[in-house]
Amino acid sequence: MNVSALGWLITCLVIAGLFIFDFGTHARVPHAPTFRESAIWSAVYIGLAIIFGFVVMWIWGGTYGGEYFAGYVTEKALSVDNLFVFVIIMATFSVPRENQQKVLLIGIVMALVMRGAFIAVGAAAINAYSWVFYLFGFFLIYTAVKLIREHGHEEEIEEERESKIIRLAKRFLPTTDEYHDGKLTTKIDGKRVVTPMLLALVAIGFTDILFALDSIPAIYGLTEEAYIVFTANAFALMGLRQLFFLIGGLLDRLIYLAYGLSIILAFIGVKLVLHALHENTLGFVNGGEMVSVPEISTGLSLAVILGVLIVTAVASLLRTRHTDAKTASETSQSETN
């Protein structure tokens, strides 16, 4: 895949322009977005991501287009899981609903910048050392196991992490517990202090680093093209703010999402290990020669990812519907008695 410097520049300018447009038209004026507004703009950004995928297909061919769509779907799914953590952060810092858009958008821009750095490092490492695929693969398998082990305890783990961030920030920075019209800092008695808004952004930024450690190796398991990795991440993050308000209440219903994501990460981890064996250069593995193992195609990867997400979503909604119906029945019987 040959992307010129001009192509990179145009892509970055377009993505930056979309973020600036988003901030200028929606998040600049503090307000709580309606369901209709969130739904429309979520559809717009998802539509743009799909159109871009077809552009990739048109210019570079179906193989790269398939890699983009597989990467985009994976990053989008991981982003939905990340929304649960954002909900906890917003609650922990008691961010007013009208200011949550600003916090989310700035946090998303921070995430894109951090992921850009990880993407550059990952691309350089892969080009220099093929054995990096072993590290990425085993790390994703470890992450998949960790997701299962922590399932059901996400809130306690995240709250403990945020409390450490708050204690550390307050040790070195003068802070106030009051919000001041969405400002990051303010003056109290002539002294500049940090507001909870900035602390929330610090927490989101730190969380973004942890998310990048999972998502970047995952997408490098689907494509080795840095351009596809970057654009898939950018488009996945682009509509995340709207998605936060759109499915905030739905997150509690996706009870099996962690299991689905763990299956996807483990699958990509195995795919990476197989690819590493195929490209093997490590002397202690088969004498430094390639190992004849089957490799998983992009088409199969996309099918597995979509299939797991669909099954996970349907199973979650059916389970919660059954639970809600049972609860309603028990409540009705209790009131009758």
Side-chain angles (χ1 to χ4, degrees):
M1 185 179 193
N2 184 24
V3 183
S4 65
L6 180 61
W8 272 99
L9 178 61
I10 292 174
T11 302
C12 292
L13 288 176
V14 169
I15 290 172
L18 287 170
F19 275 109
I20 293 171
F21 168 80
D22 196 12
F23 185 82
T25 56
H26 298 94
R28 181 172 56 86
V29 179
H31 72 287
T34 62
F35 179 87
R36 182 174 180 273
E37 177 186 339
S38 299
I40 289 174
W41 284 104
S42 291
V44 167
Y45 286 121
I46 291 174
L48 288 174
I50 293 173
I51 291 171
F52 181 80
F54 285 117
V55 170
V56 172
M57 279 187 175
W58 176 52
I59 297 176
W60 291 287
T63 299
Y64 292 121
E67 290 179 359
Y68 165 80
F69 280 116
Y72 172 74
V73 172
T74 300
E75 293 301 317
K76 201 69 174 177
L78 290 170
S79 295
V80 171
D81 187 52
N82 297 348
L83 288 179
F84 180 77
V85 178
F86 288 166
V87 169
I88 297 173
I89 292 175
M90 295 296 182
T92 301
F93 291 94
S94 303
V95 180
R97 185 170 173 80
E98 62 271 16
N99 290 325
Q100 289 180 3
Q101 290 204 85
K102 181 178 180 180
V103 173
L104 281 170
L105 190 56
I106 295 175
I108 289 167
V109 172
M110 290 165 58
L112 185 58
V113 172
M114 291 176 186
R115 292 189 187 197
F118 276 95
I119 289 167
V121 172
I126 287 171
N127 288 331
Y129 311 104
S130 60
W131 52 262
V132 169
F133 286 112
Y134 284 113
L135 295 181
F136 283 0
F138 288 124
F139 178 75
L140 287 181
I141 294 170
Y142 162 77
T143 303
V145 174
K146 184 168 172 283
L147 258 180
I148 296 297
R149 292 178 60 187
E150 293 182 353
H151 181 57
H153 304 283
E154 296 92 345
E155 189 166 352
E156 296 92 330
I157 293 170
E158 190 58 35
E159 286 179 350
E160 181 181 354
R161 183 184 298 149
E162 306 316 329
S163 65
K164 290 179 180 178
I165 293 174
I166 294 172
R167 289 199 301 270
L168 184 63
K170 287 186 174 182
R171 181 182 300 176
F172 297 101
L173 298 171
T175 61
T176 176
D177 294 329
E178 303 294 329
Y179 282 90
H180 293 263
D181 298 326
K183 295 179 180 178
L184 302 181
T185 63
T186 189
K187 279 189 175 182
I188 297 179
D189 298 330
K191 185 179 181 181
R192 179 69 63 179
V193 296
V194 169
T195 69
M197 182 78 78
L198 182 57
L199 294 179
L201 281 173
V202 171
I204 287 179
F206 179 77
T207 305
D208 286 335
I209 295 175
L210 299 181
F211 290 162
L213 289 174
D214 295 340
S215 65
I216 300 306
I219 194 170
Y220 267 122
L222 301 168
T223 179
E224 295 182 37
E225 299 295 335
Y227 183 78
I228 292 178
V229 174
F230 175 73
T231 52
N233 268 275
F235 280 107
L237 290 171
M238 202 171 291
L240 194 59
R241 177 181 63 82
Q242 290 81 3
L243 203 60
F244 175 86
F245 294 100
L246 182 63
I247 67 171
L250 186 61
L251 288 176
D252 292 335
R253 294 182 173 273
L254 297 176
I255 57 176
Y256 297 132
L257 179 61
Y259 294 107
L261 290 177
S262 66
I263 292 172
I264 291 172
L265 291 176
F267 170 78
I268 297 175
V270 171
K271 183 178 186 295
L272 276 168
V273 173
L274 290 175
H275 180 72
L277 288 170
H278 188 75
E279 302 288 332
N280 179 59
T281 57
L282 294 179
F284 58 85
V285 177
N286 197 36
E289 300 294 326
M290 66 166 285
V291 181
S292 181
V293 292
E295 288 210 78
I296 300 172
S297 67
T298 301
L300 178 59
S301 298
L302 183 56
V304 169
I305 292 166
L306 287 174
V308 169
L309 289 176
I310 291 171
V311 170
T312 298
V314 171
S316 295
L317 295 177
L318 288 176
R319 175 68 178 179
T320 51
R321 179 181 295 180
H322 173 72
T323 303
D324 290 345
K326 184 178 179 180
T327 302
S329 176
E330 291 175 350
T331 302
S332 177
Q333 287 182 350
S334 176
E335 290 177 351
T336 302
N337 295 335

PDB file of all heavy atoms in Angstrom, residues 292-312:
ATOM      1  N   SER A 292       5.641 -23.740   8.977  1.00  0.00           N
ATOM      2  CA  SER A 292       4.507 -23.910   8.063  1.00  0.00           C
ATOM      3  C   SER A 292       3.216 -24.058   8.869  1.00  0.00           C
ATOM      4  O   SER A 292       2.876 -25.135   9.347  1.00  0.00           O
ATOM      5  CB  SER A 292       4.725 -25.154   7.189  1.00  0.00           C
ATOM      6  OG  SER A 292       3.639 -25.317   6.294  1.00  0.00           O
ATOM      7  N   VAL A 293       2.531 -22.934   9.046  1.00  0.00           N
ATOM      8  CA  VAL A 293       1.253 -22.916   9.772  1.00  0.00           C
ATOM      9  C   VAL A 293       0.221 -22.187   8.919  1.00  0.00           C
ATOM     10  O   VAL A 293       0.569 -21.343   8.089  1.00  0.00           O
ATOM     11  CB  VAL A 293       1.397 -22.190  11.135  1.00  0.00           C
ATOM     12  CG1 VAL A 293       2.281 -22.985  12.080  1.00  0.00           C
ATOM     13  CG2 VAL A 293       1.935 -20.776  10.950  1.00  0.00           C
ATOM     14  N   PRO A 294      -1.055 -22.515   9.110  1.00  0.00           N
ATOM     15  CA  PRO A 294      -2.092 -21.794   8.349  1.00  0.00           C
ATOM     16  C   PRO A 294      -2.199 -20.354   8.834  1.00  0.00           C
ATOM     17  O   PRO A 294      -2.031 -20.081  10.028  1.00  0.00           O
ATOM     18  CB  PRO A 294      -3.365 -22.581   8.661  1.00  0.00           C
ATOM     19  CG  PRO A 294      -3.090 -23.245   9.976  1.00  0.00           C
ATOM     20  CD  PRO A 294      -1.628 -23.556   9.971  1.00  0.00           C
ATOM     21  N   GLU A 295      -2.451 -19.437   7.910  1.00  0.00           N
ATOM     22  CA  GLU A 295      -2.665 -18.038   8.281  1.00  0.00           C
ATOM     23  C   GLU A 295      -4.130 -17.687   8.087  1.00  0.00           C
ATOM     24  O   GLU A 295      -4.797 -18.204   7.165  1.00  0.00           O
ATOM     25  CB  GLU A 295      -1.775 -17.118   7.448  1.00  0.00           C
ATOM     26  CG  GLU A 295      -0.314 -17.203   7.841  1.00  0.00           C
ATOM     27  CD  GLU A 295       0.431 -15.905   7.602  1.00  0.00           C
ATOM     28  OE1 GLU A 295       0.281 -14.963   8.416  1.00  0.00           O
ATOM     29  OE2 GLU A 295       1.157 -15.830   6.593  1.00  0.00           O
ATOM     30  N   ILE A 296      -4.641 -16.840   8.946  1.00  0.00           N
ATOM     31  CA  ILE A 296      -6.058 -16.469   8.922  1.00  0.00           C
ATOM     32  C   ILE A 296      -6.235 -15.281   7.985  1.00  0.00           C
ATOM     33  O   ILE A 296      -5.579 -14.246   8.139  1.00  0.00           O
ATOM     34  CB  ILE A 296      -6.546 -16.121  10.339  1.00  0.00           C
ATOM     35  CG1 ILE A 296      -6.354 -17.345  11.251  1.00  0.00           C
ATOM     36  CG2 ILE A 296      -8.007 -15.696  10.324  1.00  0.00           C
ATOM     37  CD1 ILE A 296      -6.614 -17.061  12.723  1.00  0.00           C
ATOM     38  N   SER A 297      -7.138 -15.408   7.038  1.00  0.00           N
ATOM     39  CA  SER A 297      -7.356 -14.350   6.047  1.00  0.00           C
ATOM     40  C   SER A 297      -8.125 -13.179   6.649  1.00  0.00           C
ATOM     41  O   SER A 297      -8.787 -13.307   7.689  1.00  0.00           O
ATOM     42  CB  SER A 297      -8.138 -14.899   4.853  1.00  0.00           C
ATOM     43  OG  SER A 297      -9.461 -15.246   5.246  1.00  0.00           O
ATOM     44  N   THR A 298      -8.061 -12.049   5.958  1.00  0.00           N
ATOM     45  CA  THR A 298      -8.791 -10.854   6.400  1.00  0.00           C
ATOM     46  C   THR A 298     -10.290 -11.094   6.358  1.00  0.00           C
ATOM     47  O   THR A 298     -11.030 -10.664   7.254  1.00  0.00           O
ATOM     48  CB  THR A 298      -8.435  -9.650   5.510  1.00  0.00           C
ATOM     49  OG1 THR A 298      -7.024  -9.414   5.578  1.00  0.00           O
ATOM     50  CG2 THR A 298      -9.174  -8.401   5.971  1.00  0.00           C
ATOM     51  N   GLY A 299     -10.754 -11.782   5.309  1.00  0.00           N
ATOM     52  CA  GLY A 299     -12.188 -12.068   5.195  1.00  0.00           C
ATOM     53  C   GLY A 299     -12.705 -12.888   6.356  1.00  0.00           C
ATOM     54  O   GLY A 299     -13.774 -12.588   6.920  1.00  0.00           O
ATOM     55  N   LEU A 300     -11.942 -13.928   6.736  1.00  0.00           N
ATOM     56  CA  LEU A 300     -12.344 -14.752   7.880  1.00  0.00           C
ATOM     57  C   LEU A 300     -12.306 -13.932   9.168  1.00  0.00           C
ATOM     58  O   LEU A 300     -13.192 -14.068  10.027  1.00  0.00           O
ATOM     59  CB  LEU A 300     -11.416 -15.966   7.991  1.00  0.00           C
ATOM     60  CG  LEU A 300     -11.685 -16.912   9.175  1.00  0.00           C
ATOM     61  CD1 LEU A 300     -13.097 -17.460   9.122  1.00  0.00           C
ATOM     62  CD2 LEU A 300     -10.656 -18.054   9.194  1.00  0.00           C
ATOM     63  N   SER A 301     -11.297 -13.081   9.315  1.00  0.00           N
ATOM     64  CA  SER A 301     -11.189 -12.229  10.508  1.00  0.00           C
ATOM     65  C   SER A 301     -12.411 -11.335  10.649  1.00  0.00           C
ATOM     66  O   SER A 301     -13.010 -11.227  11.727  1.00  0.00           O
ATOM     67  CB  SER A 301      -9.919 -11.377  10.432  1.00  0.00           C
ATOM     68  OG  SER A 301      -8.760 -12.169  10.405  1.00  0.00           O
ATOM     69  N   LEU A 302     -12.796 -10.690   9.531  1.00  0.00           N
ATOM     70  CA  LEU A 302     -13.953  -9.796   9.557  1.00  0.00           C
ATOM     71  C   LEU A 302     -15.213 -10.577   9.891  1.00  0.00           C
ATOM     72  O   LEU A 302     -16.055 -10.103  10.671  1.00  0.00           O
ATOM     73  CB  LEU A 302     -14.093  -9.095   8.208  1.00  0.00           C
ATOM     74  CG  LEU A 302     -15.229  -8.062   8.074  1.00  0.00           C
ATOM     75  CD1 LEU A 302     -15.106  -6.988   9.144  1.00  0.00           C
ATOM     76  CD2 LEU A 302     -15.219  -7.440   6.687  1.00  0.00           C
ATOM     77  N   ALA A 303     -15.365 -11.768   9.334  1.00  0.00           N
ATOM     78  CA  ALA A 303     -16.553 -12.587   9.596  1.00  0.00           C
ATOM     79  C   ALA A 303     -16.628 -12.993  11.068  1.00  0.00           C
ATOM     80  O   ALA A 303     -17.702 -12.932  11.690  1.00  0.00           O
ATOM     81  CB  ALA A 303     -16.536 -13.828   8.708  1.00  0.00           C
ATOM     82  N   VAL A 304     -15.485 -13.400  11.641  1.00  0.00           N
ATOM     83  CA  VAL A 304     -15.455 -13.807  13.050  1.00  0.00           C
ATOM     84  C   VAL A 304     -15.780 -12.615  13.957  1.00  0.00           C
ATOM     85  O   VAL A 304     -16.590 -12.725  14.891  1.00  0.00           O
ATOM     86  CB  VAL A 304     -14.077 -14.393  13.418  1.00  0.00           C
ATOM     87  CG1 VAL A 304     -13.944 -14.563  14.937  1.00  0.00           C
ATOM     88  CG2 VAL A 304     -13.869 -15.726  12.722  1.00  0.00           C
ATOM     89  N   ILE A 305     -15.180 -11.452  13.679  1.00  0.00           N
ATOM     90  CA  ILE A 305     -15.398 -10.261  14.510  1.00  0.00           C
ATOM     91  C   ILE A 305     -16.863  -9.840  14.485  1.00  0.00           C
ATOM     92  O   ILE A 305     -17.490  -9.616  15.529  1.00  0.00           O
ATOM     93  CB  ILE A 305     -14.498  -9.102  14.029  1.00  0.00           C
ATOM     94  CG1 ILE A 305     -13.030  -9.434  14.318  1.00  0.00           C
ATOM     95  CG2 ILE A 305     -14.884  -7.788  14.716  1.00  0.00           C
ATOM     96  CD1 ILE A 305     -12.048  -8.530  13.598  1.00  0.00           C
ATOM     97  N   LEU A 306     -17.439  -9.744  13.284  1.00  0.00           N
ATOM     98  CA  LEU A 306     -18.847  -9.359  13.163  1.00  0.00           C
ATOM     99  C   LEU A 306     -19.755 -10.404  13.806  1.00  0.00           C
ATOM    100  O   LEU A 306     -20.717 -10.058  14.507  1.00  0.00           O
ATOM    101  CB  LEU A 306     -19.217  -9.176  11.690  1.00  0.00           C
ATOM    102  CG  LEU A 306     -18.659  -7.926  11.001  1.00  0.00           C
ATOM    103  CD1 LEU A 306     -18.971  -7.957   9.507  1.00  0.00           C
ATOM    104  CD2 LEU A 306     -19.244  -6.659  11.623  1.00  0.00           C
ATOM    105  N   GLY A 307     -19.444 -11.689  13.566  1.00  0.00           N
ATOM    106  CA  GLY A 307     -20.269 -12.748  14.128  1.00  0.00           C
ATOM    107  C   GLY A 307     -20.278 -12.733  15.646  1.00  0.00           C
ATOM    108  O   GLY A 307     -21.338 -12.829  16.281  1.00  0.00           O
ATOM    109  N   VAL A 308     -19.103 -12.579  16.247  1.00  0.00           N
ATOM    110  CA  VAL A 308     -19.009 -12.546  17.715  1.00  0.00           C
ATOM    111  C   VAL A 308     -19.765 -11.348  18.279  1.00  0.00           C
ATOM    112  O   VAL A 308     -20.495 -11.468  19.274  1.00  0.00           O
ATOM    113  CB  VAL A 308     -17.528 -12.508  18.157  1.00  0.00           C
ATOM    114  CG1 VAL A 308     -17.422 -12.205  19.659  1.00  0.00           C
ATOM    115  CG2 VAL A 308     -16.847 -13.819  17.849  1.00  0.00           C
ATOM    116  N   LEU A 309     -19.627 -10.176  17.648  1.00  0.00           N
ATOM    117  CA  LEU A 309     -20.304  -8.977  18.143  1.00  0.00           C
ATOM    118  C   LEU A 309     -21.821  -9.103  18.032  1.00  0.00           C
ATOM    119  O   LEU A 309     -22.562  -8.699  18.944  1.00  0.00           O
ATOM    120  CB  LEU A 309     -19.826  -7.751  17.364  1.00  0.00           C
ATOM    121  CG  LEU A 309     -18.388  -7.306  17.650  1.00  0.00           C
ATOM    122  CD1 LEU A 309     -18.007  -6.141  16.747  1.00  0.00           C
ATOM    123  CD2 LEU A 309     -18.225  -6.915  19.115  1.00  0.00           C
ATOM    124  N   ILE A 310     -22.304  -9.666  16.930  1.00  0.00           N
ATOM    125  CA  ILE A 310     -23.754  -9.834  16.759  1.00  0.00           C
ATOM    126  C   ILE A 310     -24.309 -10.810  17.793  1.00  0.00           C
ATOM    127  O   ILE A 310     -25.320 -10.532  18.449  1.00  0.00           O
ATOM    128  CB  ILE A 310     -24.069 -10.322  15.323  1.00  0.00           C
ATOM    129  CG1 ILE A 310     -23.774  -9.211  14.309  1.00  0.00           C
ATOM    130  CG2 ILE A 310     -25.537 -10.757  15.216  1.00  0.00           C
ATOM    131  CD1 ILE A 310     -23.855  -9.654  12.864  1.00  0.00           C
ATOM    132  N   VAL A 311     -23.649 -11.955  17.955  1.00  0.00           N
ATOM    133  CA  VAL A 311     -24.094 -12.945  18.939  1.00  0.00           C
ATOM    134  C   VAL A 311     -24.054 -12.354  20.350  1.00  0.00           C
ATOM    135  O   VAL A 311     -24.984 -12.548  21.152  1.00  0.00           O
ATOM    136  CB  VAL A 311     -23.224 -14.220  18.858  1.00  0.00           C
ATOM    137  CG1 VAL A 311     -23.520 -15.157  20.035  1.00  0.00           C
ATOM    138  CG2 VAL A 311     -23.459 -14.941  17.542  1.00  0.00           C
ATOM    139  N   THR A 312     -22.990 -11.624  20.653  1.00  0.00           N
ATOM    140  CA  THR A 312     -22.845 -11.010  21.978  1.00  0.00           C
ATOM    141  C   THR A 312     -23.973 -10.017  22.253  1.00  0.00           C
ATOM    142  O   THR A 312     -24.577 -10.028  23.330  1.00  0.00           O
ATOM    143  CB  THR A 312     -21.495 -10.286  22.083  1.00  0.00           C
ATOM    144  OG1 THR A 312     -20.431 -11.236  21.938  1.00  0.00           O
ATOM    145  CG2 THR A 312     -21.362  -9.602  23.431  1.00  0.00           C
TER     146      THR A 312
END
